[in-house]
Amino acid sequence: MMQSPSDIMLALAEFSGIEIPAAYRPGVIGNLALIQAHMQQVMAFPIPEDIAFACEDRP
Amino acid sequence: MSGVLHGAAAFRSGAISATAAVAETLDRISRLDAGLGCFTRLFARQALDEAQVQDRARAQGRRLGPLAGVAFAVKDLFDLAGVTTTAGAASRLDAPPAARDADAVARMRAAGAILVGTLNMDEFAYGFVTRNAHFGTTRNPRDQARLAGGSSGGSAAAVAAGMLPVTLGSDTNGSIRIPAALCGVYGLRPGRGAVSVRGCFPLAPSLDTVGYFAATAQDFPLLFGTLKDDGASNPVMETPRVATLGGWFARNVTPDLQVAIGRIGERLGARGTIELPEVERARSAAFLITAAEAGNLHLPALRTRAGAFDPETRDRFLAGALIPAAAILQAQRFRRWFIARTFEAMGDHDILLAPAAPGVAPRIDDPVIQVGGRSVSARVQLGLFTQPVSLLGFPVLTVPVAAASGLSMGVQLIAKPGGEALLFRAAQALEEDGLVGMAPVQDRDVHTAFA
């Protein structure tokens, strides 16, 4: 059976040792839905290969 | 409330003692703050002691710093020696006190400014509204039924109410620019790296900046000179070339804010409209980077003390901690692409104009804004126009403009890196012409019944 993106992310969290108590899951899933929309925006963009990763960008 | 320059000059000239100035400030805070909720802690005794030391120094003819006699306060995420940094979180109330002042606080104090207290914020600076589960909601001095904006809401509201001429805040995705707009004060997000963030409780370290709020544009050069790292910002003397940002920045904006931006553009000689590429995606990238960095930062505390968090913040942090690495790597690469394309799009323009928030402050009992014809959460979505600009790391000064309703709105003046001085000059010109400025809040209009 196909799982929802939130289910998959929560399963991955468990895999990483991050426990999300059942009481918090509705709120976390609501936020994951928002994150999913932003992820789709970013992941869909074809970034040129010569743009490398750098986490401390200063313009 | 007079500004920093005025207050410092009054003290130096002997027109007022530091003790009298601080006592007046504390009195004003005691009368007004019950209805506004700006302050989380007051250091009245220490502030008065420090003021007396400055009065004696002046009487002895000793050299005084440029901010001597000027009171200030800081968002409750700056380290203060001997004081616990709460970052607006109940879970940190029993944290050990800071060993030393944050760099920005140390620089203000070294220049003679007198610290009077700490200011309210969204928990861990993660929000745009300053509704804090432990410290309460900061109300907008222009209409106490409305939000002050956030996360540096206490800092903005304290200046708007005339309690202080300057306060420190932080801005990751708009936390200075949005409350400045909604409360009707000036707020600077300096360029990334221009002002030290050391000693400030982080939200998203690759986007965090430290800045300040002030009542008049005239105060910005002195304050920036006090706070900036050596070598930051080069004064530019030529007339700035200005353009208005279109596309994303022209949608979801109230008509009176559109008119205000047009007038500012006209006064600054704006040469048309520029569209930045992929702005909505830039906002998404800033959102993901913030969520992931903040989630990761707080994960250890969430594992052991999740119940001490504001439930809304907790759930956002937990979700952020689950974002896959692929999305964060892509967001950071997109960030480099967006910065490069923005430089290209700006061409020889020096300043860009954009709204800071869609319009006036939302009501506290209906904390939503309209985006694309839909009502969406102000807490999460007020950063519509500030988040994409955060991704650039460019300096931004929010200038206040009056709405037809008497409330306030804000316009972002955005410069290339090192362009802070240009922004100050432009804001001063606009202020002198009466196009922007902080309208005074009358004491009689601030009601303590809201406490």
Side-chain angles (χ1 to χ4, degrees):
Chain A
M1 190 176 73
M2 187 71 179
Q3 288 186 299
S4 74
S6 295
D7 287 339
I8 293 167
M9 287 173 82
L10 288 169
L12 280 171
E14 200 172 324
F15 181 77
S16 310
I18 302 171
E19 188 188 343
I20 312 288
Y24 302 164
R25 288 196 171 213
V28 173
I29 287 169
N31 280 284
L32 284 176
L34 189 57
I35 283 170
Q36 187 190 350
H38 288 297
M39 273 177 57
Q40 285 169 350
Q41 273 280 341
V42 169
M43 296 305 286
F45 187 67
I47 301 176
E49 286 175 7
D50 62 345
I51 302 282
F53 166 75
C55 74
E56 278 293 338
D57 261 317
R58 288 184 186 180
Chain B
M1 161 62 66
S2 57
V4 170
L5 287 174
H6 182 271
F11 172 62
R12 274 197 304 277
S13 71
I16 189 169
S17 69
T19 306
V22 169
E24 200 176 290
T25 296
L26 293 170
D27 175 61
R28 192 167 176 78
I29 292 167
S30 72
R31 281 187 287 114
L32 299 182
D33 199 47
L36 295 173
C38 298
F39 282 83
T40 54
R41 284 170 295 195
L42 272 178
F43 310 124
R45 188 67 262 159
Q46 298 96 309
L48 287 166
D49 288 349
E50 209 172 316
Q52 285 170 3
V53 169
Q54 290 191 359
D55 285 335
R56 282 197 294 274
R58 187 184 60 183
Q60 292 163 1
R62 283 162 47 195
R63 192 164 172 271
L64 298 161
L67 299 180
V70 174
F72 81 113
V74 300
K75 185 176 184 177
D76 207 346
L77 53 59
F78 287 84
D79 280 355
L80 305 172
V83 176
T84 293
T85 310
T86 73
S91 60
R92 287 191 50 81
L93 290 172
D94 57 356
R100 62 178 193 174
D101 287 344
D103 283 355
V105 175
R107 288 174 187 173
M108 290 290 285
R109 282 177 152 168
I114 299 169
L115 181 74
V116 300
T118 55
L119 296 156
N120 199 18
M121 56 185 285
D122 286 294
E123 187 181 57
F124 291 118
Y126 205 15
F128 291 125
V129 292
T130 311
R131 300 188 76 170
N132 186 296
H134 181 74
F135 292 104
T137 296
T138 296
R139 294 177 179 275
N140 193 312
R142 300 190 184 280
D143 178 351
Q144 288 165 272
R146 293 178 184 270
L147 295 166
S151 64
S152 310
S155 301
V159 172
M163 296 175 183
L164 292 163
V166 56
T167 57
L168 300 188
S170 66
D171 187 317
T172 303
N173 282 306
S175 286
I176 286 176
R177 292 163 286 163
I178 289 168
L182 302 187
C183 289
V185 300
Y186 295 87
L188 176 71
R189 172 190 164 99
R192 282 266 304 161
V195 175
S196 169
V197 297
R198 194 164 71 164
C200 296
F201 200 95
L203 172 61
S206 81
L207 289 167
D208 290 344
T209 58
V210 162
Y212 53 93
F213 299 87
T216 166
Q218 311 300 323
D219 290 341
F220 275 78
L222 172 61
L223 292 168
F224 189 64
T226 301
L227 287 165
K228 75 183 176 71
D229 285 354
D230 290 341
S233 189
N234 300 309
V236 181
M237 299 313 292
E238 77 244 34
T239 304
R241 290 157 295 232
V242 179
T244 303
L245 281 178
W248 175 267
F249 296 96
R251 294 192 285 273
N252 299 303
V253 181
T254 57
D256 47 355
L257 183 51
Q258 285 173 343
V259 169
I261 293 171
R263 284 184 183 145
I264 288 171
E266 197 176 321
R267 169 61 183 82
L268 296 177
R271 305 183 307 180
T273 299
I274 285 177
E275 273 203 43
L276 301 183
E278 303 291 346
V279 177
E280 188 171 7
R281 227 181 291 275
R283 184 174 176 232
S284 288
F287 184 100
L288 292 177
I289 292 166
T290 303
E293 290 187 12
N296 179 262
L297 183 75
H298 290 281
L299 196 52
L302 286 165
R303 280 178 159 145
T304 55
R305 309 178 65 188
F309 283 68
D310 176 337
E312 280 193 49
T313 320
R314 176 198 67 208
D315 294 346
R316 293 180 75 191
F317 282 154
L318 281 169
L322 307 185
I323 297 175
I328 297 309
L329 292 168
Q330 176 90 350
Q332 291 285 12
R333 288 179 64 215
F334 174 83
R335 179 184 190 173
R336 296 192 72 189
W337 179 91
F338 185 61
I339 291 169
R341 295 294 87 75
T342 297
F343 273 119
E344 286 176 10
M346 280 185 83
D348 66 352
H349 290 92
D350 304 298
I351 295 178
L352 302 176
L353 306 177
V360 301
R363 290 184 59 84
I364 291 171
D365 61 5
D366 187 22
V368 296
I369 58 171
Q370 298 299 312
V371 177
R374 289 190 307 125
S375 289
V376 296
S377 160
R379 180 179 184 132
V380 179
Q381 304 287 358
L382 259 172
L384 195 64
F385 302 126
T386 51
Q387 262 177 315
V389 180
S390 288
L391 204 63
L392 297 169
F394 291 7
V396 190
L397 178 62
T398 290
V399 295
V401 292
S405 59
L407 297 170
S408 185
M409 310 176 293
V411 178
Q412 297 184 84
L413 310 186
I414 305 159
K416 291 174 183 167
E420 282 87 351
L422 264 185
L423 299 179
F424 303 156
R425 262 210 349 230
Q428 286 167 13
L430 293 168
E431 185 176 77
E432 282 161 13
D433 285 1
L435 286 174
V436 308
M438 184 185 106
V441 171
Q442 303 301 323
D443 288 10
R444 64 174 180 274
D445 294 331
V446 178
H447 306 292
T448 53
F450 277 101

